[in-house]
Amino acid sequence: MGIDDAYRVQRVLVRNANGVTELVTIEDAGPFVRKKMPLQSANRAVWAALAGSACPRLPQVAATYEMPDWFVVVYDYVPGESLANAVERAGALGAVIAAQVAQDVCEALSALHTLHVAHLDIAPANIILAADGAHLVDFGNARVLGSLDAASAGAADKAATGSGAAGASRPKGTWGFAAPEQYFYKADERSDIFAAGRLLGYMLTGIQPDDENIEEFEAALLDEDRVPVALRAVVERASRFEPSARYQSVDELSLAIFRALQGDGADTAADNTAADKDNAVQRDEGRRQSGPKQQVDGRRGSRPAQIALVVLACATALMSLTVCAKVLMGRKGEDQQAAGQQATSQQVPGDVLGVSDSDGGVQLDDDNGSNTVPARATASDIERAYQSLKISESGWHVDSNGYVDYALTIQNTSEDLIVEYPEVIITGRAADGSVVFSKSQVMGVVYPGYDLTFACMTGDGTAPATVEFALGKPQDYQVSVGTGHPTEYKVHDLSVRKDGAGKLTVSGEVEKTVEGDEWLDSQSVWLSVILRDDQGQIVYGWNGFVESPGLGEQMPFSIAVYSVPDYATVEVVPIAQ
């Protein structure tokens, strides 16, 4: 039996003239993506370069081999949703989430350019939003940079005569995102910068920058109620017609995005010293491990806590965005009992699963007028907040690729302190006690008398023997004196289907039952999937998201969960995003 026969096909993802893409497993490993490309059009040099990269934003190549008609690549499967689908449902992304995704893309491109490869098709359909942030996929248009000049010069002649390999044709890309030079001149790293700029503009406006919609796209960029001025300047500079007028590296672009969110201006990045850039990268390093975070509306201006959401060390999202605080806030005490233990799960054995009702949200202001404006905390308040935060439960599981899927709950036992974006430090250790990895994750906002429960992924692909969770001490800008009331949701008709490959499909409907005091506009509901054993201990955490329903309305959801351990019950925990 050959290597190709050793893989078990779970399902076909894509089948077209460019080949076949499948979801496969092999023995007890996987799932993986297996991509079969016609020999005459396969760009082996690109995949050879990718095989040498450890960047988590790029495909992690497990194997390559040849068959009589095919060149085959096998790489790790990243479960998630395409950016195109996410933006289509949400309409647009807030400034912080859009910036997170853009910086994740810059991280992928920086690693790719270091390998002397240009992607040349940075587009919403080729960005996957996963638990640990945004991933760059689809390298069918990618080229080794040294071959681009030859590919562009005379490509039309080769196309007309039919001579030359298909891989030598001029790279095109997705209309509206591809740089102009990809159609009539030679492409290079700055072509990817053009596309990354257009991608950021698309996320901020929700409008495709193609011929049909370009005027609407440009008008939306000028709308300061939709797009912060500094981020608009980043988009405009990155996507200038002349390559020499753009940012000259993706690291420069990433730093410009960071500085735009800080309020330092977008076009000053090129004037920073190397030390400035190093400091920015260090501040941003933890964020690169994160998924989706709380969305910040550009109209609201700047707060230190908003900036901390991006620059403090944190573990996926979107959200990230990626992205990956999935947060539950549950009221404790008599209020919870009166609501029928609102923030707890009804759990039943086996594959008949429970339902979670929960609160979730953020208060940074007094826009709704239902609470007093939070007062700035004193040094004593900050110390009290640190003592009031507790990790009441946690659990984790190492998947087949060495990453840790976990969930935990933070309690805020104070009566009058709001803690914005508490930091959790996660340490994986080997059997001898040595550190395998140490990551940090910034969560949402936890009100006094509430819990914050979240599920996420962490690690670096090296399986730890033990995992420890600890809370970082809040800074002065993270603590305020006040109270608040988060948005509440209820999950209905929760069910699970399990296939032969061990994949769980968790589905149901989420209802918004109470509007909260959050000043942030909630466009999505993040759904944490938490598995427990028969003793009630957490053994696994995963997540998904859906568009936020209106008050009293419901929104269906379906979340695919892979590589799960043995479990007794499952909860789905919704929060406002």
Side-chain angles (χ1 to χ4, degrees), residues 251-373:
D251 292 336
E252 187 180 341
L253 171 58
S254 181
L255 182 58
I257 295 170
F258 170 80
R259 292 180 63 84
L261 286 176
Q262 280 189 312
D264 291 348
D267 282 334
T268 59
D271 299 326
N272 284 296
T273 64
D276 291 332
K277 295 182 180 181
D278 289 343
N279 289 337
V281 169
Q282 291 172 7
R283 289 191 297 269
D284 193 43
E285 178 62 27
R287 186 208 58 76
R288 295 190 186 282
Q289 301 299 324
S290 71
K293 303 297 186 299
Q294 296 293 342
Q295 179 172 329
V296 175
D297 190 326
R299 294 172 290 179
R300 300 289 184 169
S302 175
R303 279 177 57 96
Q306 297 169 12
I307 302 305
L309 185 59
V310 181
V311 301
L312 284 180
C314 45
T316 180
L318 129 219
M319 214 184 12
S320 67
L321 171 170
T322 22
V323 101
C324 108
K326 278 73 63 184
V327 183
L328 154 70
M329 295 188 178
R331 184 182 298 276
K332 295 298 182 182
E334 296 179 357
D335 289 347
Q336 186 186 59
Q337 295 176 0
Q341 293 190 343
Q342 179 179 19
T344 63
S345 302
Q346 300 175 8
Q347 298 180 341
V348 291
D351 289 336
V352 184
L353 303 176
V355 176
S356 296
D357 304 334
S358 67
D359 304 328
V362 181
Q363 177 184 339
L364 298 179
D365 219 328
D366 189 38
D367 288 354
N368 294 336
S370 59
N371 298 287
T372 59
V373 176

Side-chain angles (χ1 to χ4, degrees), residues 113-126:
H113 293 172
T114 299
L115 299 171
H116 306 292
V117 174
H119 187 275
L120 301 178
D121 198 12
I122 306 299
N126 295 335

Side-chain angles (χ1 to χ4, degrees), residues 145-454:
L145 288 169
S147 68
L148 288 174
D149 291 351
S152 297
D157 292 340
K158 290 184 179 181
T161 63
S163 63
S169 63
R170 178 184 297 134
K172 294 292 193 293
T174 301
W175 191 259
F177 295 91
E181 62 269 17
Q182 291 180 224
Y183 296 90
F184 63 88
Y185 192 54
K186 61 183 181 182
D188 61 21
E189 298 99 324
R190 296 169 298 179
S191 304
D192 284 341
I193 291 170
F194 179 99
R198 282 285 178 89
L199 187 79
L200 176 58
Y202 164 76
M203 290 187 286
L204 293 167
T205 64
I207 299 171
Q208 291 272 355
D210 52 23
D211 284 349
E212 181 180 351
N213 301 298
I214 189 62
E215 292 184 1
E216 183 184 1
F217 172 78
E218 292 174 346
L221 282 177
L222 295 173
D223 184 353
E224 295 181 17
D225 285 342
R226 301 174 68 176
V227 180
V229 174
L231 282 178
R232 182 185 76 210
V234 173
V235 173
E236 290 174 342
R237 180 175 173 185
S239 55
R240 287 175 182 167
F241 185 88
E242 170 54 48
S244 63
R246 303 169 195 159
Y247 300 103
Q248 297 300 290
S249 73
V250 289
D251 292 336
E252 187 180 341
L253 171 58
S254 181
L255 182 58
I257 295 170
F258 170 80
R259 292 180 63 84
L261 286 176
Q262 280 189 312
D264 291 348
D267 282 334
T268 59
D271 299 326
N272 284 296
T273 64
D276 291 332
K277 295 182 180 181
D278 289 343
N279 289 337
V281 169
Q282 291 172 7
R283 289 191 297 269
D284 193 43
E285 178 62 27
R287 186 208 58 76
R288 295 190 186 282
Q289 301 299 324
S290 71
K293 303 297 186 299
Q294 296 293 342
Q295 179 172 329
V296 175
D297 190 326
R299 294 172 290 179
R300 300 289 184 169
S302 175
R303 279 177 57 96
Q306 297 169 12
I307 302 305
L309 185 59
V310 181
V311 301
L312 284 180
C314 45
T316 180
L318 129 219
M319 214 184 12
S320 67
L321 171 170
T322 22
V323 101
C324 108
K326 278 73 63 184
V327 183
L328 154 70
M329 295 188 178
R331 184 182 298 276
K332 295 298 182 182
E334 296 179 357
D335 289 347
Q336 186 186 59
Q337 295 176 0
Q341 293 190 343
Q342 179 179 19
T344 63
S345 302
Q346 300 175 8
Q347 298 180 341
V348 291
D351 289 336
V352 184
L353 303 176
V355 176
S356 296
D357 304 334
S358 67
D359 304 328
V362 181
Q363 177 184 339
L364 298 179
D365 219 328
D366 189 38
D367 288 354
N368 294 336
S370 59
N371 298 287
T372 59
V373 176
R376 190 170 183 84
T378 65
S380 175
D381 292 330
I382 296 167
E383 183 61 32
R384 280 201 302 122
Y386 183 48
Q387 298 301 322
S388 297
L389 292 180
K390 311 289 183 185
I391 296 178
S392 60
E393 64 171 348
S394 63
W396 53 276
H397 170 72
V398 179
D399 68 18
S400 58
N401 297 315
Y403 289 90
V404 176
D405 303 307
Y406 70 94
L408 59 82
T409 297
I410 301 173
Q411 289 184 340
N412 184 350
T413 60
S414 73
E415 297 180 352
D416 62 343
L417 297 175
I418 302 170
V419 182
E420 302 176 359
Y421 316 121
E423 180 186 16
V424 177
I425 302 166
I426 307 167
T427 304
R429 296 184 182 275
D432 63 2
S434 60
V435 174
V436 173
F437 67 82
S438 181
K439 307 289 185 180
S440 296
Q441 180 164 352
V442 174
M443 299 298 105
V445 178
V446 56
Y447 292 113
Y450 283 80
D451 287 354
L452 182 96
T453 298
F454 58 90

Side-chain angles (χ1 to χ4, degrees), residues 456-475:
C456 196
M457 176 193 290
T458 191
D460 60 3
T462 303
T466 61
V467 179
E468 303 167 358
F469 302 92
L471 287 165
K473 186 170 183 178
Q475 304 298 309

Side-chain angles (χ1 to χ4, degrees), residues 489 510 523-527 544-549 574-577:
Y489 296 95
V510 60
Q523 297 184 355
S524 301
V525 182
W526 287 98
L527 304 166
F545 65 94
V546 295
E547 182 180 352
S548 180
I575 62 107
Q577 173 64 42

Side-chain angles (χ1 to χ4, degrees), residues 34-191:
R34 181 172 68 180
K35 190 174 184 69
K36 294 183 176 180
M37 298 161 277
L39 278 176
Q40 68 272 19
S41 62
N43 197 327
R44 295 169 177 79
V46 168
W47 290 105
L50 284 171
S53 174
C55 176
R57 308 283 173 217
L58 297 174
Q60 301 298 292
V61 177
T64 62
Y65 56 93
E66 290 192 12
M67 300 174 65
D69 297 319
W70 303 102
F71 177 73
V72 186
V73 180
V74 181
Y75 52 91
D76 286 352
Y77 171 69
V78 177
E81 181 178 28
S82 75
L83 178 61
N85 288 344
V87 173
E88 182 179 358
R89 291 189 299 100
L93 304 182
V96 168
I97 296 241
Q100 281 184 258
V101 174
Q103 288 187 303
D104 284 348
V105 172
C106 286
E107 181 183 354
L109 288 175
S110 180
L112 196 63
H113 293 172
T114 299
L115 299 171
H116 306 292
V117 174
H119 187 275
L120 301 178
D121 198 12
I122 306 299
N126 295 335
I127 308 298
I128 299 298
L129 305 179
D132 62 342
H135 292 246
L136 184 58
V137 299
D138 195 344
F139 287 77
N141 207 51
R143 296 292 184 273
V144 175
L145 288 169
S147 68
L148 288 174
D149 291 351
S152 297
D157 292 340
K158 290 184 179 181
T161 63
S163 63
S169 63
R170 178 184 297 134
K172 294 292 193 293
T174 301
W175 191 259
F177 295 91
E181 62 269 17
Q182 291 180 224
Y183 296 90
F184 63 88
Y185 192 54
K186 61 183 181 182
D188 61 21
E189 298 99 324
R190 296 169 298 179
S191 304

